[in-house]
Amino acid sequence: MTESTKNYVNGEWVVSETGDTFDVENPANSNEIVSRYQQSNSTDAAVAVSAAAESQDSWKNTPGPERGRILREAGTVLANQKEGLTGLLVSEEGKSYAEAAGEVQRAIDIFHYFAAKAADLGGTVKGSSGKNTTLYTRKVPVGVAALITPWNYPIAIPAWKLAPALAAGNSVVLKPASVAPGLSLKIAKALDEAGLPAGVLNVVTGPGREVGSEFIENESTDAVSFTGSSQVGQTVYDQATDAGKRVQTELGGKNPTVVTGSADPSKAADIVATGGFGTTGQSCTACSRAIVDSAIHDDFVAALIDRAESIDIGPGSDHEMGPQVSANERDSTLEYIDIAVEEGATLAAGGGVPDGTAVANGYFVEPTVFTNVDSEMRIAQEEVFGPVISVIEVDDFNGAIDVANNVQYGLSASVVTESHNEANRFIDEADAGVVKVNQKTTGLELHVPFGGFKRSSSETWREQGDSGLDFYTIEKTVYDSY
């Protein structure tokens, strides 16, 4: 019998008021129940917010180096549990073992990074226009931060929201996605072991319409950070701003890789395939469109098809590419594949569900390549959260830039080129918050800002690095006459 995992509220592990639970299945084998979690409601969420609010003053007044010590110790606890955390991530979300291990390590690194930053939080001293006056600024926490996180990076994204919030002196309520909530509760346990005071962090599982909405609208929360789809993100943004909250949203993408005529086709195909098929295409920064110069188009397509057909598909524990996270996600990807065929795109590789006993009960989709794609087709305009790459042929670099920018999203974009001029023009002209040269669209450094343009972000605050701390702090200006 599967044991129910409890919510973490006010330093205690508690069951939901509803008495109900929900199961999380292994996406590689839907017959296997991985874990059982609390099906919480708005009352559970309100209790968590109250606990966070009551702890806020004490945590705010805890010295930054002490807050940092707790974050550092939590990172060490996670590091000591890395093997088990990796296994849970593979089982709940479906990533390959190598991808899951890398994500767990990233979470560890994030906690250690912001542990050091907690001691550096201060302000600046400015020259005063008056005599005998010291003029300076101080950074103070926003208050209670409500974090709503997605399933596709179930430990890294909670970590990169939570660590700067705590480092800056905010108390937190966190609602992880119900598809893969286990890693967020493991973070809570690590922080509890590290000595985080009761009430500073509260994690409640359950539906967004109940738990998430209460977190957003409760008068005691001061800031809302959300990562997820653009459609849901707009609703969250409207709810949060209507309630007078500080808000950041990081949303979807339709990320291009431009392959110029000077690029090596084989190298470019490997970059595109890694960016598009890695994490089963379930990254907001995944490459969805390869925009390729006609001079090397045919050689590039041949190399990309070879790469797609060589990928080893199966359970993430021992295969290169795992399943999609749920039946709904798999079915959505397959529906987009059907739409692309109906609109006239050429299915050049994949496009179906793989055969074999190892994948019979999972949510697997073959790595898929479309050619003869027009940039106005739905497959080239709408986010497909799965292992599907559309190849769009263009006549020249100017045409490639136009196609790359001709979408409602602007999260990540890359160019593969041997031309210094093309590389710098792309950096200048690409409408994206992350721009890369001769690299895949996925993969982020933790100490630099991350965020998108257009429908990929609220364009209010960036995450990670110093920018991540900015969202969770407010500057206070002090005039001290003596």
Side-chain angles (χ1 to χ4, degrees):
M1 181 177 179
T2 303
E3 183 178 352
S4 297
T5 301
K6 298 177 182 179
N7 292 330
Y8 181 70
V9 178
N10 203 24
E12 301 289 340
W13 296 95
V14 299
V15 298
S16 168
E17 181 199 66
T18 68
D20 295 329
T21 60
F22 64 92
D23 291 337
V24 171
E25 62 188 22
N26 184 341
N29 179 7
S30 60
N31 295 325
E32 177 189 341
I33 301 302
V34 179
S35 302
R36 181 166 293 148
Y37 297 99
Q38 300 299 312
Q39 185 78 342
S40 308
N41 63 12
S42 58
T43 300
D44 296 304
V47 171
V49 172
S50 178
E54 288 184 16
S55 71
Q56 172 55 35
D57 283 345
S58 176
W59 182 242
K60 176 180 70 175
N61 293 322
T62 300
E66 173 61 14
R67 297 198 297 264
R69 183 199 64 76
I70 292 172
L71 293 179
R72 187 178 305 107
E73 178 60 25
T76 300
V77 172
L78 294 174
N80 292 336
Q81 299 173 357
K82 183 177 179 180
E83 187 73 18
L85 296 172
T86 300
L88 178 60
L89 204 163
V90 171
S91 296
E92 283 199 347
E93 198 273 346
K95 279 188 174 74
S96 72
Y97 185 89
E99 291 169 341
E103 182 181 341
V104 172
Q105 185 59 54
R106 182 179 182 82
I108 295 164
D109 294 343
I110 287 167
F111 273 97
H112 287 161
Y113 172 80
F114 283 106
K117 283 291 183 181
D120 286 340
L121 282 171
T124 57
V125 177
K126 300 291 186 179
S128 172
S129 59
K131 294 181 178 180
N132 302 325
T133 299
T134 303
L135 181 63
Y136 61 97
T137 65
R138 294 178 62 185
K139 289 188 175 182
V140 298
V142 174
V144 177
L147 314 181
I148 303 173
T149 60
W151 51 261
N152 61 324
Y153 285 90
I155 190 167
I157 292 179
W160 83 44
K161 292 181 186 294
L162 179 57
L166 295 177
N170 300 273
S171 56
V172 173
V173 290
L174 167 63
K175 193 206 90 66
S178 295
V179 177
L183 278 300
S184 289
L185 291 159
K186 293 293 186 182
I187 290 176
K189 186 176 181 181
L191 283 161
D192 185 80
E193 292 181 21
L196 188 72
V200 175
L201 170 62
N202 306 271
V203 183
V204 179
T205 59
R209 65 183 179 275
E210 290 271 348
V211 178
S213 292
E214 179 64 30
F215 281 177
I216 294 166
E217 296 175 353
N218 190 293
E219 64 180 12
S220 292
T221 57
D222 302 288
V224 177
S225 179
F226 171 87
T227 298
S229 71
S230 294
Q231 182 178 3
V232 177
Q234 185 60 57
T235 299
V236 169
Y237 182 84
D238 291 342
Q239 283 181 290
T241 53
D242 286 349
K245 317 288 185 179
R246 177 180 289 207
V247 60
Q248 69 177 180
T249 62
E250 293 302 338
L251 309 172
K254 193 67 182 172
N255 310 295
T257 295
V258 167
V259 181
T260 74
S262 66
D264 177 84
S266 179
K267 175 184 175 182
D270 189 59
I271 290 172
V272 169
T274 304
F277 299 139
T279 66
T280 320
Q282 297 179 130
S283 295
C284 55
T285 55
C287 176
S288 182
R289 299 176 295 147
I291 303 167
V292 186
D293 192 290
S294 58
I296 64 167
H297 173 271
D298 292 350
D299 289 339
F300 170 85
V301 167
L304 183 61
I305 291 171
D306 286 345
R307 180 71 182 92
E309 293 179 342
S310 71
I311 293 175
D312 179 34
I313 309 169
S317 55
D318 53 4
H319 292 79
E320 182 182 358
M321 191 179 93
Q324 297 217 238
V325 76
S326 67
N328 285 340
E329 291 296 330
R330 177 203 58 194
D331 293 347
S332 175
T333 298
L334 294 174
E335 181 180 359
Y336 269 110
I337 290 170
D338 289 342
I339 290 169
V341 172
E342 291 170 3
E343 289 187 333
T346 300
L347 181 60
V353 175
D355 296 324
T357 55
V359 297
N361 296 316
Y363 305 126
F364 296 92
V365 176
E366 294 172 325
T368 299
V369 177
F370 279 103
T371 58
N372 296 316
V373 176
D374 185 274
S375 66
E376 298 301 327
M377 291 179 176
R378 287 182 64 186
I379 197 74
Q381 288 290 320
E382 299 175 17
E383 185 174 36
V384 182
F385 220 56
V388 179
I389 297 173
S390 298
V391 181
I392 303 171
E393 186 175 2
V394 293
D395 292 331
D396 54 29
F397 185 74
N398 289 332
I401 290 289
D402 289 342
V403 171
N405 290 337
N406 183 34
V407 290
Q408 58 189 331
Y409 299 100
L411 188 54
S412 181
S414 72
V415 62
V416 185
T417 181
E418 295 300 318
S419 166
H420 190 63
N421 176 268
E422 289 173 342
N424 280 278
R425 276 196 59 195
F426 187 79
I427 293 167
D428 289 342
E429 297 176 34
D431 291 338
V434 175
V435 181
K436 297 186 172 187
V437 177
N438 295 324
Q439 293 188 29
K440 61 183 180 177
T441 56
T442 52
L444 303 167
E445 297 274 3
L446 61 86
H447 59 291
V448 290
F450 169 63
F453 294 172
K454 299 187 279 191
R455 284 197 70 199
S456 291
S457 168
S458 58
E459 298 185 336
T460 48
W461 307 86
R462 292 308 197 217
E463 295 194 283
Q464 307 198 110
D466 289 335
S467 295
L469 288 165
D470 288 343
F471 175 69
Y472 297 105
T473 57
I474 300 175
E475 277 199 309
K476 177 186 292 186
T477 302
V478 180
Y479 295 77
D480 182 5
S481 296
Y482 54 89

